[in-house]
Amino acid sequence: AQSVTQPDIHITVSEGASLELRCNYSYGATPYLFWYVQSPGQGLQLLLKYFSGDTLVQGIKGFEAEFKRSQSSFNLRKPSVHWSDAAEYFCAVGELQNTDKLIFGTGTRLQVFP
Amino acid sequence: DTEVTQTPKHLVMGMTNKKSLKCEQHMGHRAMYWYKQKAKKPPELMFVYSYEKLSINESVPSRFSPECPNSSLLNLHLHALQPEDSALYLCASGQMNTEAFFGQGTRLTVV
């Protein structure tokens, strides 16, 4: 079965510092990969997605992610974090047999200090 | 219009009550979803409707009853819930092989 692992439960960075959130997936084929962000008590907002093609994808709010097949990873990056980026970040993969079904990682909570 | 709208935003209900959560999208998406999210956990899929037909039911208890009256609307009828059903209920919509767009959720408290 497909699975998604986010190894870091909680990350703290200073405002202006760079950020990398890790995501590893278990999958038998090229997956559909997503990063979502969730502020407390809110819904999920899509940051970016990867389906095929260029392995470096650009998203909203200055985020990017790189698909690395050899490492089964889809890490999220941002060169300079803003205080408003503090939120929960979820990596997700579309299930092979049914792409309507998203499998979410357990999430990484990002805290930003001034 | 790129929004998924959920009502109400907050709901408190007793264990003997009947209530409904509503979700609406006007993006022409053919799939609509209900997710349940407990605190500090990822969303868990409950139901998927594809072309107004129930295509996935993730073994959800019968006290949760989904309904898709048309391609833009999705309801979740609630009856005889338990306190452990308290959670954030998220609606989403999407097309096949693309991303899902989420609403802001309904915060449900069962007392």
Side-chain angles (χ1 to χ4, degrees), chain A residues 13-63:
Chain A
V13 300
S14 298
E15 192 170 18
S18 63
L19 173 70
E20 183 170 28
L21 302 183
R22 296 183 290 167
C23 173
N24 294 96
Y25 63 89
S26 166
Y27 213 77
T30 300
Y32 297 135
L33 292 160
F34 309 88
W35 274 100
Y36 284 89
V37 61
Q38 185 178 34
S39 297
Q42 300 295 310
L44 278 73
Q45 181 181 25
L46 180 72
L47 287 175
L48 45 78
K49 61 187 179 186
Y50 174 77
F51 292 159
S52 64
D54 193 347
T55 56
L56 183 63
V57 293
Q58 302 297 318
I60 62 171
K61 303 185 179 186
F63 285 93

mmCIF file of all heavy atoms in Angstrom, chain A residues 13-63:
data_model
loop_
_atom_site.group_PDB
_atom_site.id
_atom_site.type_symbol
_atom_site.label_atom_id
_atom_site.label_comp_id
_atom_site.label_asym_id
_atom_site.label_seq_id
_atom_site.Cartn_x
_atom_site.Cartn_y
_atom_site.Cartn_z
ATOM 1 N N VAL A 13 12.031 27.750 12.893
ATOM 2 C CA VAL A 13 13.034 28.528 12.162
ATOM 3 C C VAL A 13 12.869 29.992 12.505
ATOM 4 O O VAL A 13 11.799 30.428 12.966
ATOM 5 C CB VAL A 13 12.925 28.338 10.633
ATOM 6 C CG1 VAL A 13 13.132 26.882 10.253
ATOM 7 C CG2 VAL A 13 11.601 28.844 10.112
ATOM 8 N N SER A 14 13.911 30.745 12.261
ATOM 9 C CA SER A 14 13.848 32.194 12.427
ATOM 10 C C SER A 14 13.349 32.831 11.138
ATOM 11 O O SER A 14 13.598 32.327 10.037
ATOM 12 C CB SER A 14 15.228 32.749 12.764
ATOM 13 O OG SER A 14 15.694 32.229 13.987
ATOM 14 N N GLU A 15 12.641 33.926 11.296
ATOM 15 C CA GLU A 15 12.149 34.643 10.123
ATOM 16 C C GLU A 15 13.340 35.049 9.250
ATOM 17 O O GLU A 15 14.366 35.522 9.749
ATOM 18 C CB GLU A 15 11.358 35.879 10.539
ATOM 19 C CG GLU A 15 10.585 36.518 9.395
ATOM 20 C CD GLU A 15 9.615 37.590 9.867
ATOM 21 O OE1 GLU A 15 9.781 38.072 11.005
ATOM 22 O OE2 GLU A 15 8.685 37.928 9.114
ATOM 23 N N GLY A 16 13.188 34.819 7.944
ATOM 24 C CA GLY A 16 14.267 35.119 7.012
ATOM 25 C C GLY A 16 15.173 33.953 6.710
ATOM 26 O O GLY A 16 15.924 33.968 5.725
ATOM 27 N N ALA A 17 15.110 32.915 7.541
ATOM 28 C CA ALA A 17 15.938 31.729 7.301
ATOM 29 C C ALA A 17 15.321 30.879 6.205
ATOM 30 O O ALA A 17 14.142 31.013 5.864
ATOM 31 C CB ALA A 17 16.063 30.923 8.589
ATOM 32 N N SER A 18 16.134 29.984 5.653
ATOM 33 C CA SER A 18 15.633 29.066 4.639
ATOM 34 C C SER A 18 14.927 27.897 5.317
ATOM 35 O O SER A 18 15.132 27.613 6.502
ATOM 36 C CB SER A 18 16.774 28.557 3.765
ATOM 37 O OG SER A 18 17.688 27.823 4.555
ATOM 38 N N LEU A 19 14.108 27.211 4.520
ATOM 39 C CA LEU A 19 13.279 26.130 5.060
ATOM 40 C C LEU A 19 13.281 24.951 4.120
ATOM 41 O O LEU A 19 13.228 25.121 2.887
ATOM 42 C CB LEU A 19 11.838 26.624 5.228
ATOM 43 C CG LEU A 19 10.788 25.578 5.638
ATOM 44 C CD1 LEU A 19 11.007 25.142 7.075
ATOM 45 C CD2 LEU A 19 9.383 26.126 5.444
ATOM 46 N N GLU A 20 13.357 23.756 4.686
ATOM 47 C CA GLU A 20 13.129 22.547 3.913
ATOM 48 C C GLU A 20 12.316 21.579 4.752
ATOM 49 O O GLU A 20 12.719 21.203 5.850
ATOM 50 C CB GLU A 20 14.428 21.877 3.463
ATOM 51 C CG GLU A 20 14.180 20.639 2.599
ATOM 52 C CD GLU A 20 15.431 20.100 1.931
ATOM 53 O OE1 GLU A 20 16.535 20.287 2.471
ATOM 54 O OE2 GLU A 20 15.308 19.492 0.850
ATOM 55 N N LEU A 21 11.168 21.167 4.241
ATOM 56 C CA LEU A 21 10.316 20.173 4.898
ATOM 57 C C LEU A 21 10.401 18.880 4.091
ATOM 58 O O LEU A 21 10.221 18.885 2.877
ATOM 59 C CB LEU A 21 8.872 20.670 4.961
ATOM 60 C CG LEU A 21 8.631 21.994 5.675
ATOM 61 C CD1 LEU A 21 7.140 22.309 5.723
ATOM 62 C CD2 LEU A 21 9.208 21.980 7.074
ATOM 63 N N ARG A 22 10.622 17.792 4.801
ATOM 64 C CA ARG A 22 10.868 16.520 4.129
ATOM 65 C C ARG A 22 9.596 15.706 3.935
ATOM 66 O O ARG A 22 8.708 15.714 4.794
ATOM 67 C CB ARG A 22 11.880 15.706 4.921
ATOM 68 C CG ARG A 22 13.267 16.360 4.991
ATOM 69 C CD ARG A 22 14.237 15.461 5.724
ATOM 70 N NE ARG A 22 13.937 15.365 7.144
ATOM 71 C CZ ARG A 22 14.465 14.463 7.960
ATOM 72 N NH1 ARG A 22 15.293 13.536 7.477
ATOM 73 N NH2 ARG A 22 14.169 14.464 9.248
ATOM 74 N N CYS A 23 9.571 14.998 2.830
ATOM 75 C CA CYS A 23 8.457 14.114 2.515
ATOM 76 C C CYS A 23 9.004 12.923 1.739
ATOM 77 O O CYS A 23 9.679 13.100 0.717
ATOM 78 C CB CYS A 23 7.395 14.839 1.696
ATOM 79 S SG CYS A 23 6.059 13.763 1.100
ATOM 80 N N ASN A 24 8.708 11.737 2.222
ATOM 81 C CA ASN A 24 9.071 10.519 1.515
ATOM 82 C C ASN A 24 7.820 9.694 1.255
ATOM 83 O O ASN A 24 6.914 9.668 2.084
ATOM 84 C CB ASN A 24 10.076 9.700 2.332
ATOM 85 C CG ASN A 24 11.400 10.415 2.478
ATOM 86 O OD1 ASN A 24 11.649 11.087 3.469
ATOM 87 N ND2 ASN A 24 12.234 10.289 1.475
ATOM 88 N N TYR A 25 7.785 9.042 0.133
ATOM 89 C CA TYR A 25 6.604 8.267 -0.224
ATOM 90 C C TYR A 25 7.007 6.849 -0.596
ATOM 91 O O TYR A 25 8.148 6.577 -0.977
ATOM 92 C CB TYR A 25 5.869 8.930 -1.390
ATOM 93 C CG TYR A 25 6.685 8.978 -2.660
ATOM 94 C CD1 TYR A 25 6.651 7.947 -3.577
ATOM 95 C CD2 TYR A 25 7.528 10.061 -2.900
ATOM 96 C CE1 TYR A 25 7.432 7.971 -4.710
ATOM 97 C CE2 TYR A 25 8.321 10.095 -4.039
ATOM 98 C CZ TYR A 25 8.265 9.053 -4.933
ATOM 99 O OH TYR A 25 9.057 9.086 -6.051
ATOM 100 N N SER A 26 6.057 5.985 -0.440
ATOM 101 C CA SER A 26 6.215 4.600 -0.861
ATOM 102 C C SER A 26 5.229 4.365 -1.984
ATOM 103 O O SER A 26 4.021 4.485 -1.779
ATOM 104 C CB SER A 26 5.914 3.664 0.307
ATOM 105 O OG SER A 26 5.750 2.338 -0.135
ATOM 106 N N TYR A 27 5.763 4.045 -3.184
ATOM 107 C CA TYR A 27 4.872 4.004 -4.347
ATOM 108 C C TYR A 27 5.506 3.144 -5.418
ATOM 109 O O TYR A 27 6.715 3.093 -5.533
ATOM 110 C CB TYR A 27 4.690 5.429 -4.859
ATOM 111 C CG TYR A 27 3.334 5.699 -5.457
ATOM 112 C CD1 TYR A 27 2.232 5.900 -4.654
ATOM 113 C CD2 TYR A 27 3.162 5.754 -6.825
ATOM 114 C CE1 TYR A 27 0.998 6.163 -5.187
ATOM 115 C CE2 TYR A 27 1.925 6.010 -7.373
ATOM 116 C CZ TYR A 27 0.848 6.218 -6.549
ATOM 117 O OH TYR A 27 -0.371 6.472 -7.090
ATOM 118 N N GLY A 28 4.683 2.483 -6.223
ATOM 119 C CA GLY A 28 5.212 1.602 -7.247
ATOM 120 C C GLY A 28 5.377 2.250 -8.606
ATOM 121 O O GLY A 28 5.969 1.677 -9.502
ATOM 122 N N ALA A 29 4.860 3.439 -8.769
ATOM 123 C CA ALA A 29 4.920 4.103 -10.069
ATOM 124 C C ALA A 29 5.105 5.588 -9.816
ATOM 125 O O ALA A 29 5.255 6.020 -8.682
ATOM 126 C CB ALA A 29 3.638 3.833 -10.842
ATOM 127 N N THR A 30 5.119 6.372 -10.874
ATOM 128 C CA THR A 30 5.231 7.822 -10.692
ATOM 129 C C THR A 30 3.960 8.331 -10.028
ATOM 130 O O THR A 30 2.872 8.207 -10.582
ATOM 131 C CB THR A 30 5.428 8.531 -12.038
ATOM 132 O OG1 THR A 30 6.619 8.039 -12.643
ATOM 133 C CG2 THR A 30 5.554 10.030 -11.811
ATOM 134 N N PRO A 31 4.098 8.871 -8.855
ATOM 135 C CA PRO A 31 2.904 9.280 -8.109
ATOM 136 C C PRO A 31 2.466 10.701 -8.455
ATOM 137 O O PRO A 31 3.202 11.461 -9.054
ATOM 138 C CB PRO A 31 3.389 9.226 -6.664
ATOM 139 C CG PRO A 31 4.832 9.631 -6.767
ATOM 140 C CD PRO A 31 5.328 9.088 -8.095
ATOM 141 N N TYR A 32 1.233 10.998 -8.081
ATOM 142 C CA TYR A 32 0.792 12.378 -8.030
ATOM 143 C C TYR A 32 1.113 12.879 -6.625
ATOM 144 O O TYR A 32 0.684 12.282 -5.649
ATOM 145 C CB TYR A 32 -0.708 12.490 -8.291
ATOM 146 C CG TYR A 32 -1.126 12.022 -9.665
ATOM 147 C CD1 TYR A 32 -2.241 11.205 -9.824
ATOM 148 C CD2 TYR A 32 -0.422 12.400 -10.799
ATOM 149 C CE1 TYR A 32 -2.627 10.769 -11.082
ATOM 150 C CE2 TYR A 32 -0.815 11.970 -12.055
ATOM 151 C CZ TYR A 32 -1.913 11.160 -12.196
ATOM 152 O OH TYR A 32 -2.312 10.725 -13.429
ATOM 153 N N LEU A 33 1.859 13.961 -6.525
ATOM 154 C CA LEU A 33 2.334 14.458 -5.234
ATOM 155 C C LEU A 33 1.861 15.882 -4.997
ATOM 156 O O LEU A 33 1.818 16.691 -5.923
ATOM 157 C CB LEU A 33 3.868 14.404 -5.180
ATOM 158 C CG LEU A 33 4.463 13.002 -5.159
ATOM 159 C CD1 LEU A 33 5.921 13.047 -5.585
ATOM 160 C CD2 LEU A 33 4.317 12.370 -3.792
ATOM 161 N N PHE A 34 1.538 16.164 -3.752
ATOM 162 C CA PHE A 34 0.990 17.460 -3.386
ATOM 163 C C PHE A 34 1.592 17.918 -2.059
ATOM 164 O O PHE A 34 1.943 17.113 -1.200
ATOM 165 C CB PHE A 34 -0.539 17.384 -3.210
ATOM 166 C CG PHE A 34 -1.272 16.749 -4.360
ATOM 167 C CD1 PHE A 34 -1.462 15.378 -4.404
ATOM 168 C CD2 PHE A 34 -1.795 17.535 -5.370
ATOM 169 C CE1 PHE A 34 -2.149 14.793 -5.456
ATOM 170 C CE2 PHE A 34 -2.481 16.954 -6.423
ATOM 171 C CZ PHE A 34 -2.664 15.581 -6.472
ATOM 172 N N TRP A 35 1.668 19.245 -1.915
ATOM 173 C CA TRP A 35 1.900 19.866 -0.621
ATOM 174 C C TRP A 35 0.732 20.811 -0.333
ATOM 175 O O TRP A 35 0.391 21.650 -1.164
ATOM 176 C CB TRP A 35 3.194 20.665 -0.595
ATOM 177 C CG TRP A 35 4.413 19.855 -0.271
ATOM 178 C CD1 TRP A 35 5.341 19.359 -1.134
ATOM 179 C CD2 TRP A 35 4.862 19.461 1.035
ATOM 180 N NE1 TRP A 35 6.326 18.682 -0.459
ATOM 181 C CE2 TRP A 35 6.055 18.729 0.877
ATOM 182 C CE3 TRP A 35 4.358 19.664 2.334
ATOM 183 C CZ2 TRP A 35 6.756 18.198 1.952
ATOM 184 C CZ3 TRP A 35 5.055 19.132 3.406
ATOM 185 C CH2 TRP A 35 6.238 18.410 3.208
ATOM 186 N N TYR A 36 0.157 20.625 0.875
ATOM 187 C CA TYR A 36 -0.915 21.501 1.341
ATOM 188 C C TYR A 36 -0.457 22.182 2.622
ATOM 189 O O TYR A 36 0.331 21.636 3.391
ATOM 190 C CB TYR A 36 -2.184 20.695 1.655
ATOM 191 C CG TYR A 36 -2.973 20.243 0.452
ATOM 192 C CD1 TYR A 36 -2.700 19.027 -0.171
ATOM 193 C CD2 TYR A 36 -4.021 21.017 -0.051
ATOM 194 C CE1 TYR A 36 -3.447 18.600 -1.262
ATOM 195 C CE2 TYR A 36 -4.767 20.592 -1.137
ATOM 196 C CZ TYR A 36 -4.473 19.394 -1.739
ATOM 197 O OH TYR A 36 -5.217 18.978 -2.821
ATOM 198 N N VAL A 37 -1.023 23.388 2.866
ATOM 199 C CA VAL A 37 -0.754 24.109 4.107
ATOM 200 C C VAL A 37 -2.077 24.360 4.812
ATOM 201 O O VAL A 37 -3.107 24.602 4.160
ATOM 202 C CB VAL A 37 0.002 25.437 3.844
ATOM 203 C CG1 VAL A 37 -0.815 26.384 2.971
ATOM 204 C CG2 VAL A 37 0.361 26.121 5.153
ATOM 205 N N GLN A 38 -2.039 24.286 6.139
ATOM 206 C CA GLN A 38 -3.247 24.495 6.933
ATOM 207 C C GLN A 38 -2.941 25.389 8.124
ATOM 208 O O GLN A 38 -2.117 25.031 8.969
ATOM 209 C CB GLN A 38 -3.817 23.161 7.410
ATOM 210 C CG GLN A 38 -5.141 23.277 8.142
ATOM 211 C CD GLN A 38 -5.705 21.925 8.571
ATOM 212 O OE1 GLN A 38 -4.962 21.007 8.901
ATOM 213 N NE2 GLN A 38 -7.025 21.792 8.555
ATOM 214 N N SER A 39 -3.618 26.520 8.189
ATOM 215 C CA SER A 39 -3.545 27.371 9.370
ATOM 216 C C SER A 39 -4.519 26.846 10.406
ATOM 217 O O SER A 39 -5.489 26.160 10.046
ATOM 218 C CB SER A 39 -3.860 28.823 9.000
ATOM 219 O OG SER A 39 -2.893 29.312 8.100
ATOM 220 N N PRO A 40 -4.314 27.161 11.686
ATOM 221 C CA PRO A 40 -5.151 26.582 12.745
ATOM 222 C C PRO A 40 -6.640 26.801 12.508
ATOM 223 O O PRO A 40 -7.086 27.922 12.236
ATOM 224 C CB PRO A 40 -4.668 27.330 14.000
ATOM 225 C CG PRO A 40 -3.253 27.685 13.697
ATOM 226 C CD PRO A 40 -3.220 27.994 12.230
ATOM 227 N N GLY A 41 -7.400 25.727 12.585
ATOM 228 C CA GLY A 41 -8.849 25.794 12.439
ATOM 229 C C GLY A 41 -9.339 26.088 11.037
ATOM 230 O O GLY A 41 -10.540 26.332 10.837
ATOM 231 N N GLN A 42 -8.445 26.046 10.073
ATOM 232 C CA GLN A 42 -8.809 26.377 8.695
ATOM 233 C C GLN A 42 -8.745 25.145 7.802
ATOM 234 O O GLN A 42 -8.317 24.071 8.220
ATOM 235 C CB GLN A 42 -7.853 27.442 8.147
ATOM 236 C CG GLN A 42 -7.849 28.738 8.929
ATOM 237 C CD GLN A 42 -9.164 29.453 8.856
ATOM 238 O OE1 GLN A 42 -9.730 29.668 7.778
ATOM 239 N NE2 GLN A 42 -9.713 29.827 10.006
ATOM 240 N N GLY A 43 -9.195 25.340 6.548
ATOM 241 C CA GLY A 43 -9.084 24.274 5.576
ATOM 242 C C GLY A 43 -7.671 24.166 5.032
ATOM 243 O O GLY A 43 -6.765 24.865 5.479
ATOM 244 N N LEU A 44 -7.498 23.278 4.060
ATOM 245 C CA LEU A 44 -6.189 23.066 3.465
ATOM 246 C C LEU A 44 -6.073 23.857 2.166
ATOM 247 O O LEU A 44 -6.996 23.867 1.351
ATOM 248 C CB LEU A 44 -5.976 21.580 3.153
ATOM 249 C CG LEU A 44 -5.525 20.693 4.309
ATOM 250 C CD1 LEU A 44 -6.669 20.460 5.281
ATOM 251 C CD2 LEU A 44 -5.008 19.367 3.791
ATOM 252 N N GLN A 45 -4.930 24.483 1.992
ATOM 253 C CA GLN A 45 -4.662 25.234 0.770
ATOM 254 C C GLN A 45 -3.533 24.552 0.005
ATOM 255 O O GLN A 45 -2.495 24.226 0.589
ATOM 256 C CB GLN A 45 -4.279 26.685 1.098
ATOM 257 C CG GLN A 45 -4.017 27.539 -0.132
ATOM 258 C CD GLN A 45 -3.615 28.952 0.211
ATOM 259 O OE1 GLN A 45 -3.087 29.229 1.291
ATOM 260 N NE2 GLN A 45 -3.860 29.879 -0.702
ATOM 261 N N LEU A 46 -3.736 24.347 -1.281
ATOM 262 C CA LEU A 46 -2.710 23.711 -2.094
ATOM 263 C C LEU A 46 -1.552 24.676 -2.335
ATOM 264 O O LEU A 46 -1.756 25.806 -2.783
ATOM 265 C CB LEU A 46 -3.298 23.291 -3.434
ATOM 266 C CG LEU A 46 -2.315 22.607 -4.381
ATOM 267 C CD1 LEU A 46 -1.989 21.198 -3.898
ATOM 268 C CD2 LEU A 46 -2.879 22.559 -5.800
ATOM 269 N N LEU A 47 -0.337 24.212 -2.017
ATOM 270 C CA LEU A 47 0.855 25.010 -2.295
ATOM 271 C C LEU A 47 1.411 24.691 -3.682
ATOM 272 O O LEU A 47 1.792 25.588 -4.430
ATOM 273 C CB LEU A 47 1.935 24.722 -1.254
ATOM 274 C CG LEU A 47 1.722 25.286 0.144
ATOM 275 C CD1 LEU A 47 2.831 24.800 1.072
ATOM 276 C CD2 LEU A 47 1.654 26.804 0.131
ATOM 277 N N LEU A 48 1.497 23.410 -3.992
ATOM 278 C CA LEU A 48 2.024 22.989 -5.286
ATOM 279 C C LEU A 48 1.725 21.522 -5.507
ATOM 280 O O LEU A 48 1.297 20.813 -4.589
ATOM 281 C CB LEU A 48 3.530 23.265 -5.393
ATOM 282 C CG LEU A 48 4.407 22.878 -4.199
ATOM 283 C CD1 LEU A 48 4.691 21.400 -4.167
ATOM 284 C CD2 LEU A 48 5.715 23.664 -4.241
ATOM 285 N N LYS A 49 1.956 21.080 -6.751
ATOM 286 C CA LYS A 49 1.664 19.700 -7.119
ATOM 287 C C LYS A 49 2.680 19.225 -8.144
ATOM 288 O O LYS A 49 3.277 20.026 -8.883
ATOM 289 C CB LYS A 49 0.256 19.601 -7.708
ATOM 290 C CG LYS A 49 0.090 20.443 -8.975
ATOM 291 C CD LYS A 49 -1.332 20.493 -9.456
ATOM 292 C CE LYS A 49 -1.441 21.374 -10.700
ATOM 293 N NZ LYS A 49 -2.837 21.579 -11.124
ATOM 294 N N TYR A 50 2.875 17.910 -8.194
ATOM 295 C CA TYR A 50 3.707 17.303 -9.215
ATOM 296 C C TYR A 50 2.963 16.123 -9.813
ATOM 297 O O TYR A 50 2.518 15.214 -9.089
ATOM 298 C CB TYR A 50 5.036 16.820 -8.635
ATOM 299 C CG TYR A 50 5.856 16.053 -9.647
ATOM 300 C CD1 TYR A 50 6.557 16.721 -10.648
ATOM 301 C CD2 TYR A 50 5.884 14.661 -9.633
ATOM 302 C CE1 TYR A 50 7.263 16.019 -11.599
ATOM 303 C CE2 TYR A 50 6.600 13.957 -10.584
ATOM 304 C CZ TYR A 50 7.281 14.642 -11.561
ATOM 305 O OH TYR A 50 7.988 13.946 -12.510
ATOM 306 N N PHE A 51 2.845 16.137 -11.148
ATOM 307 C CA PHE A 51 2.225 15.015 -11.840
ATOM 308 C C PHE A 51 3.244 14.342 -12.757
ATOM 309 O O PHE A 51 3.338 13.123 -12.827
ATOM 310 C CB PHE A 51 1.024 15.461 -12.665
ATOM 311 C CG PHE A 51 -0.142 15.930 -11.838
ATOM 312 C CD1 PHE A 51 -1.107 16.758 -12.383
ATOM 313 C CD2 PHE A 51 -0.284 15.563 -10.511
ATOM 314 C CE1 PHE A 51 -2.186 17.197 -11.629
ATOM 315 C CE2 PHE A 51 -1.358 15.994 -9.747
ATOM 316 C CZ PHE A 51 -2.317 16.822 -10.314
ATOM 317 N N SER A 52 4.004 15.162 -13.495
ATOM 318 C CA SER A 52 5.013 14.639 -14.413
ATOM 319 C C SER A 52 5.841 15.825 -14.900
ATOM 320 O O SER A 52 5.560 16.978 -14.569
ATOM 321 C CB SER A 52 4.358 13.926 -15.599
ATOM 322 O OG SER A 52 3.598 14.831 -16.372
ATOM 323 N N GLY A 53 6.871 15.542 -15.701
ATOM 324 C CA GLY A 53 7.648 16.619 -16.314
ATOM 325 C C GLY A 53 8.759 17.124 -15.420
ATOM 326 O O GLY A 53 9.389 16.358 -14.688
ATOM 327 N N ASP A 54 8.970 18.421 -15.464
ATOM 328 C CA ASP A 54 10.044 19.056 -14.709
ATOM 329 C C ASP A 54 9.941 18.684 -13.239
ATOM 330 O O ASP A 54 8.891 18.864 -12.613
ATOM 331 C CB ASP A 54 9.954 20.572 -14.875
ATOM 332 C CG ASP A 54 11.211 21.295 -14.390
ATOM 333 O OD1 ASP A 54 12.037 20.655 -13.701
ATOM 334 O OD2 ASP A 54 11.347 22.484 -14.688
ATOM 335 N N THR A 55 11.036 18.182 -12.698
ATOM 336 C CA THR A 55 10.990 17.677 -11.318
ATOM 337 C C THR A 55 11.051 18.783 -10.276
ATOM 338 O O THR A 55 10.849 18.510 -9.097
ATOM 339 C CB THR A 55 12.142 16.698 -11.081
ATOM 340 O OG1 THR A 55 13.384 17.355 -11.387
ATOM 341 C CG2 THR A 55 11.998 15.460 -11.961
ATOM 342 N N LEU A 56 11.361 20.000 -10.670
ATOM 343 C CA LEU A 56 11.335 21.138 -9.754
ATOM 344 C C LEU A 56 10.073 21.932 -10.051
ATOM 345 O O LEU A 56 9.919 22.469 -11.149
ATOM 346 C CB LEU A 56 12.579 22.006 -9.936
ATOM 347 C CG LEU A 56 12.721 23.189 -8.983
ATOM 348 C CD1 LEU A 56 12.851 22.696 -7.532
ATOM 349 C CD2 LEU A 56 13.918 24.051 -9.353
ATOM 350 N N VAL A 57 9.187 21.981 -9.090
ATOM 351 C CA VAL A 57 7.909 22.655 -9.303
ATOM 352 C C VAL A 57 7.825 23.887 -8.410
ATOM 353 O O VAL A 57 8.268 23.876 -7.265
ATOM 354 C CB VAL A 57 6.718 21.719 -9.035
ATOM 355 C CG1 VAL A 57 6.688 20.618 -10.067
ATOM 356 C CG2 VAL A 57 6.770 21.116 -7.658
ATOM 357 N N GLN A 58 7.250 24.909 -8.980
ATOM 358 C CA GLN A 58 7.057 26.156 -8.252
ATOM 359 C C GLN A 58 5.613 26.233 -7.765
ATOM 360 O O GLN A 58 4.686 25.802 -8.460
ATOM 361 C CB GLN A 58 7.358 27.347 -9.155
ATOM 362 C CG GLN A 58 8.765 27.355 -9.733
ATOM 363 C CD GLN A 58 9.834 27.453 -8.659
ATOM 364 O OE1 GLN A 58 9.699 28.210 -7.710
ATOM 365 N NE2 GLN A 58 10.913 26.690 -8.816
ATOM 366 N N GLY A 59 5.449 26.803 -6.594
ATOM 367 C CA GLY A 59 4.114 26.926 -6.048
ATOM 368 C C GLY A 59 3.809 28.350 -5.645
ATOM 369 O O GLY A 59 4.512 29.287 -6.013
ATOM 370 N N ILE A 60 2.770 28.483 -4.854
ATOM 371 C CA ILE A 60 2.382 29.800 -4.381
ATOM 372 C C ILE A 60 3.202 30.185 -3.156
ATOM 373 O O ILE A 60 3.873 29.338 -2.547
ATOM 374 C CB ILE A 60 0.877 29.849 -4.043
ATOM 375 C CG1 ILE A 60 0.547 28.876 -2.916
ATOM 376 C CG2 ILE A 60 0.049 29.550 -5.282
ATOM 377 C CD1 ILE A 60 -0.867 29.025 -2.380
ATOM 378 N N LYS A 61 3.181 31.459 -2.825
ATOM 379 C CA LYS A 61 3.818 31.998 -1.623
ATOM 380 C C LYS A 61 5.327 31.762 -1.604
ATOM 381 O O LYS A 61 5.941 31.722 -0.537
ATOM 382 C CB LYS A 61 3.203 31.390 -0.344
ATOM 383 C CG LYS A 61 1.700 31.583 -0.223
ATOM 384 C CD LYS A 61 1.185 31.064 1.104
ATOM 385 C CE LYS A 61 -0.310 31.280 1.230
ATOM 386 N NZ LYS A 61 -0.837 30.926 2.555
ATOM 387 N N GLY A 62 5.944 31.615 -2.764
ATOM 388 C CA GLY A 62 7.389 31.466 -2.836
ATOM 389 C C GLY A 62 7.919 30.075 -2.540
ATOM 390 O O GLY A 62 9.126 29.880 -2.397
ATOM 391 N N PHE A 63 7.052 29.089 -2.440
ATOM 392 C CA PHE A 63 7.465 27.715 -2.171
ATOM 393 C C PHE A 63 7.812 26.984 -3.466
ATOM 394 O O PHE A 63 7.266 27.266 -4.520
ATOM 395 C CB PHE A 63 6.359 26.945 -1.452
ATOM 396 C CG PHE A 63 6.210 27.314 -0.007
ATOM 397 C CD1 PHE A 63 5.308 28.292 0.387
ATOM 398 C CD2 PHE A 63 6.970 26.682 0.971
ATOM 399 C CE1 PHE A 63 5.155 28.641 1.718
ATOM 400 C CE2 PHE A 63 6.827 27.016 2.311
ATOM 401 C CZ PHE A 63 5.928 28.000 2.683
#
